[in-house]
Structures are given as structure tokens and as C-alpha cells.
Amino acid sequence: SCGVVHDLNPSSQRNLAVVVQHHLLMTKSTDEPPPPERSRSVMDYDSKADLKRAMTCGKRAEDSEGAASPVEDFDWITNNLDMSISCAQNLEEEMARLLTLKSYLILDAKREQKFERITALAGRIFDVPIALVSLVDLGRQWFMSNR
């Protein structure tokens, strides 16, 4: 199996900007407008068929010739991968990954000390200023812990 490098694509950058905006809004006066709604999540879909429809935005994953649709048609595909060290993403593998993530029932969970200990330990071992435990959802990255 080939690993996929997840750099911040434009969609992830927008999601990060929403998180920062939300934090800024929460620290200002209550006269400000409410924070924007969260990005879409695998938790929003009840079945594999619903998730597939959402991921293809009503488009077919393959055209009538059996060729894959252009990558820019789907927002879940990372367009800036270094293909010399990555393999192409595909709908079935991404759906399986998301459904597995959903089965863990930890998205939107409260922070837990065990993850905080892992990030603290990783920061010390690797002598880095920041360590994270994060989960990449359909339209967002969920941070279980960050130090």
C-alpha cells in the first residue's frame, strides 16, 4: 500500500482560516456575529451511498469510458502531492478511510489526557516546538491534541 502525503491544500487552508476566525470571534465581545458553521464531516452522512454522493458532488467518479474524472472536480483530492513519493488518491480508498475514521467515534470528542501525554512526549523526543495528534476528516482536520 502506498502512503499519501497530506500537505495543506487550499480547502484545508480555508478550514484552518475558519478555525482561527472562530477563535478570534470567541475572544471578542458578544456583540460580534456568531462563528461560521463547521466544515462538512464524515459524521454528517448516514450511509456509504450518502457519503459517496457527497464526495462526488453528484458527479460520477468515472465517465462513460471508465476514465477517472479530473482531480479538480473533487474537493477531497489533494492536488499538490509530490507524485514521485505518493500514489494517486481514489474514491473507494478515501471512502474506506473516512468510514474507518467514523467508526472510531472520536471526531468532535473532548480532549483527553492520554493524547496530551503523547504530544508532550513526541515534542520532547523529537525536540520540536509543536506536536499534534490530528485526524483528517472529509472537510476539516480535527486536532485531538496540540502542544
Side-chain angles (χ1 to χ4, degrees):
S1 162
C2 180
V4 178
V5 176
H6 287 282
D7 292 328
L8 282 180
N9 61 30
S11 176
S12 297
Q13 291 172 358
R14 285 191 299 276
N15 291 338
L16 182 58
V18 168
V19 170
V20 170
Q21 288 173 344
H22 173 76
H23 174 73
L24 292 173
L25 286 172
M26 296 307 291
T27 58
K28 291 185 178 181
S29 75
T30 56
D31 297 336
E32 305 264 338
E37 292 184 35
R38 71 170 173 78
S39 298
R40 66 185 181 156
S41 170
V42 66
M43 301 302 286
D44 298 334
Y45 305 99
D46 295 326
S47 69
K48 185 176 180 178
D50 289 343
L51 178 61
K52 186 172 187 173
R53 264 192 302 281
M55 290 178 71
T56 58
C57 303
K59 300 172 188 156
R60 292 187 316 247
E62 296 181 352
D63 64 22
S64 59
E65 307 288 315
S69 295
V71 293
E72 60 272 6
D73 285 353
F74 304 108
D75 66 351
W76 52 267
I77 292 183
T78 305
N79 294 316
N80 60 347
L81 293 178
D82 178 351
M83 294 311 291
S84 68
I85 59 171
S86 303
C87 57
Q89 295 170 275
N90 71 60
L91 180 63
E92 292 303 319
E93 287 177 358
E94 184 64 4
M95 285 179 43
R97 185 190 71 78
L98 288 167
L99 291 170
T100 300
L101 176 61
K102 181 179 181 176
S103 74
Y104 296 153
L105 300 174
I106 57 175
L107 289 171
D108 299 316
K110 292 181 181 178
R111 289 181 178 252
E112 295 183 34
Q113 277 302 110
K114 58 186 161 192
F115 293 116
E116 297 297 329
R117 287 192 299 271
I118 291 169
T119 53
L121 180 61
R124 285 193 305 273
I125 290 171
F126 295 107
D127 192 27
V128 293
I130 298 172
L132 306 167
V133 174
S134 68
L135 306 169
V136 179
D137 193 358
L138 181 58
R140 65 191 176 137
Q141 187 171 3
W142 179 253
F143 291 93
M144 295 296 295
S145 174
N146 59 314
R147 286 187 173 236

